Amino acid sequence: MDRQFAQRRRRDLVVAAGLIVLAALAPLLVKDVYVQNIMVLTLMYAALSQSWNILSGYCGQISLGHALYFGLGAYTTALLFTRFGVLPWFGMFGGGVISALIAMALGYPCFRLRGHYFVIATIVIAEIALLLFQNWTFAGAALGIDIPVRHDSWLTFQFTRSKLPYFYFALALVAVAWFVTWWLEDSKWGFWWRAVKDNPEAAESLGVVVFDSKMGAAAVSAFLVAVGGSFYAQFVSYIDPESVMGFQFSLLMALPAVVGGIGTLWGPALGAVILIPLTELTRSYIGGSGRGVDLIVYGSLIVLISLARPQGLVGLFARRNKASAR
């Protein structure tokens, strides 16, 4: 079993490297700006969902308030850049650290809650933060922040003539989030998280420090999500509380992992590749009527996928592997 596990991990790493190389070549074939925009958003949400999956999938602490960390990353970068001239790269790191610290501070009382009580707490905290930012004058309040575009440069991380730099940064972000998850999966923390998810009492009786493991998962997850928020702020050049801290962002982080396979290595990426293009295409082509047809189609497909494969789409590959082994 140890040999098979090691072989599977090496195979996952090789497959991931191959997919990253193929994805890096995709913009050479796709010239349409609209399609490139969908590709950037797909990669961004794949990274966000992978980060969300660390806390909610592996550790079992279902959060529907991760929009808080996404917004903190976006606002930290935007405020430092517009108010003090700090380069986005420093704001990106600073937003990640701030989000990790806040995640641990909020986790201190919230991780004493379980089940639906914890889920409700994460939603309430995120909504409170949204209201605070809507009334915070220094951060632009409800009007938000317009990030001035100076010139195309990696130094200021601003590009107006092409979306390819954003595409490659989003691809790098996905690669980092995936590799961090891959590395943690076989570490002490990864085994602790899965034990806490399955049975916290049994895990604690075997020496697992349950509270510390939850705090560690929250910090890593919040840091990576905040980096994604910083990237989004630079990508759109304008943010307001609703556009970066709304409840829809928490859902869009969770849905790819749930559809693809929560608590799995490949589930978030697979779910994002299916759901995000579906979201954008249905909104563009059948969302103009104002009757919500795009939402009906989108929601119906999610329900069908969930009913057909409750364990996620990665279960299809697991079943195929078992069949071939026989």
Side-chain angles (χ1 to χ4, degrees):
M1 289 298 293
D2 292 339
R3 184 182 303 172
Q4 291 179 356
F5 181 72
Q7 289 176 348
R8 180 181 65 81
R9 284 181 56 77
R10 286 194 295 268
R11 184 174 64 250
D12 287 338
L13 193 60
V14 171
V15 171
L19 290 175
I20 290 171
V21 172
L22 290 176
L25 297 175
L28 302 178
L29 303 175
V30 179
K31 302 298 182 180
D32 187 89
V33 177
Y34 175 69
V35 177
Q36 289 180 353
N37 185 73
I38 293 178
M39 292 164 61
V40 172
L41 292 176
T42 300
L43 291 173
M44 184 190 76
Y45 279 109
L48 293 174
S49 188
Q50 193 82 50
S51 307
W52 177 88
N53 194 45
I54 292 175
L55 175 64
S56 301
Y58 283 96
C59 198
Q61 308 303 300
I62 303 298
S63 169
L64 291 180
H66 261 49
L68 166 62
Y69 310 122
F70 185 83
L72 285 174
Y75 266 99
T76 301
T77 299
L79 285 173
L80 289 177
F81 185 65
T82 56
R83 302 284 195 247
F84 307 104
V86 178
L87 293 177
W89 303 105
F90 296 104
M92 195 174 292
F93 178 77
V97 172
I98 291 172
S99 295
L101 293 174
I102 290 179
M104 290 190 290
L106 295 175
Y108 189 80
C110 290
F111 283 140
R112 288 168 170 76
L113 303 173
R114 294 189 180 184
H116 57 280
Y117 295 108
F118 178 79
V119 178
I120 293 172
T122 61
I123 297 173
V124 170
I125 291 173
E127 290 300 309
I128 291 174
L130 173 62
L131 292 174
L132 290 176
F133 273 84
Q134 285 177 337
N135 293 278
W136 188 16
T137 306
F138 181 75
L143 295 177
I145 302 174
D146 187 9
I147 302 175
V149 179
R150 299 175 181 175
H151 56 273
D152 288 13
S153 170
W154 278 102
L155 187 63
T156 57
F157 197 32
Q158 291 181 324
F159 304 94
T160 57
R161 299 177 182 177
S162 174
K163 292 185 180 293
L164 293 186
Y166 294 117
F167 172 86
Y168 285 113
F169 182 87
L171 180 61
L173 185 60
V174 172
V176 169
W178 187 92
F179 181 76
V180 168
T181 306
W182 177 86
W183 177 71
L184 288 170
E185 191 179 51
D186 193 35
S187 68
K188 177 185 72 173
W189 287 97
F191 288 106
W192 277 16
W193 292 340
R194 290 193 289 274
V196 171
K197 176 183 177 180
D198 291 339
N199 194 322
E201 290 78 12
E204 193 167 22
S205 68
L206 294 174
V208 175
V209 185
V210 174
F211 186 76
D212 289 352
S213 65
K214 292 180 181 180
M215 295 285 273
V220 175
S221 180
F223 182 92
L224 293 173
V225 168
V227 173
S230 299
F231 163 76
Y232 184 75
Q234 293 299 117
F235 179 58
V236 299
S237 298
Y238 171 78
I239 60 170
D240 60 43
E242 194 62 39
S243 69
V244 294
M245 302 184 80
F247 181 65
Q248 71 271 15
F249 279 100
S250 295
L251 287 180
L252 285 173
M253 290 181 216
L255 280 177
V258 173
V259 171
I262 190 170
T264 63
L265 187 61
W266 292 102
L270 180 59
V273 168
I274 294 173
L275 290 183
I276 303 307
L278 177 63
T279 303
E280 295 300 316
L281 292 172
T282 53
R283 183 170 56 189
S284 298
Y285 290 102
I286 60 177
S289 64
R291 299 177 181 177
V293 178
D294 58 321
L295 299 178
I296 295 174
V297 173
Y298 178 67
S300 299
L301 287 174
I302 292 177
V303 171
L304 289 174
I305 293 173
S306 301
L307 290 175
R309 304 302 304 174
Q311 71 273 38
L313 293 175
V314 292
L316 294 173
F317 299 96
R319 176 175 292 184
R320 183 176 300 175
N321 291 335
K322 290 181 180 178
S324 61
R326 292 176 183 174

